[in-house]
Amino acid sequence: MFAVLYPLALLLQLSAFAWKLRDFLRDPRDPRLGAITLALLFVACGFNFAIPGVYLAVGAASGVPNLSTLAVYSSIVLCTASLQVCSVNLARPREEAQPAGRVLVLGTAAALLVMAGAFALAPVHDEPHVLDFDAHYSGVPAVVLFLAVYLGAYSLGLVRSALICLRIRPHARERWLRWGVSLVPVGVVFGLGYSVLKVVAVAATWLGADLDVVSTVVAPLSATAGASVMAVGYVLPSVPRLLRRWRARRYLRPLLKALRPLDPELVRNTRLESAEYRWLIATDDLLRELRPYLDPAVVPVAERHADRADLTGEQRAATVEAARIAAGLRAHAAGRRPGSGSDMIREESGMDGSAAAVWRFPEQDPHRDLAEELHWSCLIGKAFQEPHPVVREVLAELDEDRSPAP
């Protein structure tokens, strides 16, 4: 069973690690992202060494049959230590979090040294015990010390992670963040269940009872479930970024491609780390280039067709702007300049009170909300790309008006 379950858990953890690593590389100075990324990497290492085939291979290669047990438990301790570092940085100002983080690092190093020393001194080097190491050696004092330090550090890290998530949850406005910090404590419950089951199994051995199945099957299943749920919880807050990128790729890039003939060199010179915001800035710049080709007479035509289609709110505003852009591009292709050069997309009509963020704030203004701009630009891009029936109707009416009378 674990020969299949652990590789699947490893794949999930590596996927979560890769997801968070991308976020961290975008903001490498954020200690919270760094700590969560390391935590996911360490727990992936733990599942890797726990795979029966890997466990036996490491033992055969090193000459220490149960060396993977030390590797697994050390990886988990490092994981929970990383989670505590993240928790400290979430709960305290950076000037207070740094010394607290150093204390955590020193405490974790001390715990790992004690675990390594107890493992080296314990008589556990006779034969490999892939799944029943704890149950088999639970009567050895050095192993009891080894397990006590491991389970103590592991449980402490989980509790602190759950507490900080519960503290954040009431203030989480974004639903994906709220779901994520709600899932982590659920995973912690399963993780703490693993600790309790391990302690119960060891205590039962001292009392002469046989609860090997609890230690070798039930407890690992609980730990695997907990780690998997927590991994999902830590990844969920990144979902909005993925959705923004998907929407930008589907709706904004086609609009940018249509605007590119206005100034191809401008698009090539736009440099931003994030692809979706690079497309957004380039689109904004090209829309400025489109201003001389924007015919003010298009607006009432587009609004009339939008009202006839019963469009309201965001959809109405985006569709009207998409019609203006489409008509402006036709004018550019025909060499006509019907506009004064002062009209701006979204500057006149705004977006239901949002008042056209694209040109209202210069790029360096701290009040400029690129996420909000991206949202509106994708709405316009969607109406432009399909195109929306209203856009087609507006263009058709404009063509009829310009066609010579019989």
Side-chain angles (χ1 to χ4, degrees):
M1 175 176 65
F2 290 106
V4 175
L5 182 62
Y6 283 162
L8 292 177
L10 172 62
L11 181 61
L12 174 63
Q13 299 296 333
L14 287 177
S15 301
F17 164 73
W19 190 315
K20 278 298 179 184
L21 178 63
R22 184 171 184 176
D23 289 342
F24 174 65
L25 293 178
R26 290 182 173 184
D27 191 6
R29 295 185 179 181
D30 190 336
R32 299 164 298 181
L33 281 175
I36 291 179
T37 304
L38 281 176
L40 293 169
L41 175 61
F42 286 137
V43 75
C45 290
F47 278 115
N48 176 63
F49 287 115
I51 297 172
V54 175
Y55 190 106
L56 294 173
V58 170
S62 64
V64 182
N66 295 301
L67 181 61
S68 283
T69 292
L70 177 62
V72 171
Y73 290 177
S74 297
S75 297
I76 300 305
V77 169
L78 288 169
C79 168
T80 54
S82 299
L83 292 179
Q84 290 184 75
V85 171
C86 176
S87 299
V88 166
N89 280 276
L90 283 170
R92 304 182 184 182
R94 181 162 296 189
E95 58 273 12
E96 297 180 13
Q98 288 180 345
R102 285 193 289 268
V103 172
L104 284 171
V105 170
L106 292 175
T108 302
L112 292 175
L113 286 174
V114 172
M115 289 172 58
F119 180 85
L121 295 175
V124 295
H125 311 300
D126 48 354
E127 59 182 358
H129 290 274
V130 180
L131 298 176
D132 64 339
F133 178 91
D134 302 345
H136 186 79
Y137 296 111
S138 58
V140 179
V143 173
V144 173
L145 174 62
F146 172 75
L147 293 176
V149 175
Y150 158 62
L151 291 175
Y154 170 72
S155 302
L156 177 63
L158 291 182
V159 169
R160 296 191 69 172
S161 299
L163 290 176
I164 193 64
C165 287
L166 292 174
R167 187 185 305 176
I168 291 173
R169 189 182 185 282
H171 307 287
R173 297 180 180 178
E174 212 286 319
R175 61 176 178 174
W176 292 99
L177 174 61
R178 188 166 58 254
W179 292 346
V181 296
S182 299
L183 270 182
V184 170
V186 175
V188 167
V189 171
F190 283 98
L192 293 177
Y194 162 83
S195 297
V196 171
L197 292 170
K198 283 288 187 181
V199 171
V200 169
V202 170
T205 302
W206 297 342
L207 298 174
D210 183 8
L211 292 180
D212 285 1
V213 68
V214 173
S215 180
T216 60
V217 178
V218 181
L221 285 175
S222 183
T224 302
S228 301
V229 171
M230 291 178 67
V232 173
Y234 283 120
V235 163
L236 280 181
S238 300
V239 169
R241 176 185 58 78
L242 179 65
L243 294 177
R244 281 199 305 268
R245 186 175 180 85
W246 176 81
R247 284 177 57 82
R249 183 176 294 276
R250 182 171 181 181
Y251 299 125
L252 188 59
R253 284 188 73 184
L255 177 59
L256 175 61
K257 183 178 180 180
L259 293 167
R260 191 185 299 270
L262 291 167
D263 191 343
E265 192 64 28
L266 184 149
V267 176
R268 285 191 290 268
N269 289 336
T270 302
R271 293 290 182 267
L272 277 179
E273 184 178 352
S274 170
E276 57 267 34
Y277 290 134
R278 183 169 65 248
W279 302 332
L280 174 65
I281 298 302
T283 300
D284 288 351
D285 290 340
L286 289 172
L287 288 176
R288 292 190 184 92
E289 298 291 325
L290 188 65
R291 284 181 294 179
Y293 306 96
L294 296 176
D295 188 348
V298 174
V299 176
V301 176
E303 291 178 342
R304 174 163 44 84
H305 282 279
D307 293 338
R308 186 181 303 168
D310 293 326
L311 299 183
T312 59
E314 295 179 354
Q315 187 180 18
R316 180 184 188 278
T319 304
V320 170
E321 300 307 334
R324 292 183 69 198
I325 293 172
L329 287 173
R330 284 196 175 187
H332 173 265
R336 294 182 287 103
R337 288 180 172 246
S340 63
S342 60
D343 290 341
M344 301 183 184
I345 298 296
R346 283 180 285 167
E347 184 67 30
E348 288 184 352
S349 58
M351 284 287 190
D352 295 337
S354 62
V358 169
W359 283 284
R360 181 62 56 84
F361 302 120
E363 184 175 349
Q364 67 274 15
D365 193 308
H367 298 292
R368 191 181 195 202
D369 189 346
L370 289 178
E372 182 70 10
E373 291 185 34
L374 185 62
H375 169 72
W376 294 121
S377 295
C378 286
L379 288 177
I380 295 173
K382 181 180 180 181
F384 176 85
Q385 177 197 6
E386 293 177 348
H388 193 281
V390 167
V391 176
R392 290 198 298 265
E393 292 169 3
V394 170
L395 294 178
E397 180 173 331
L398 293 176
D399 288 342
E400 291 178 2
D401 292 343
R402 294 192 182 98
S403 59

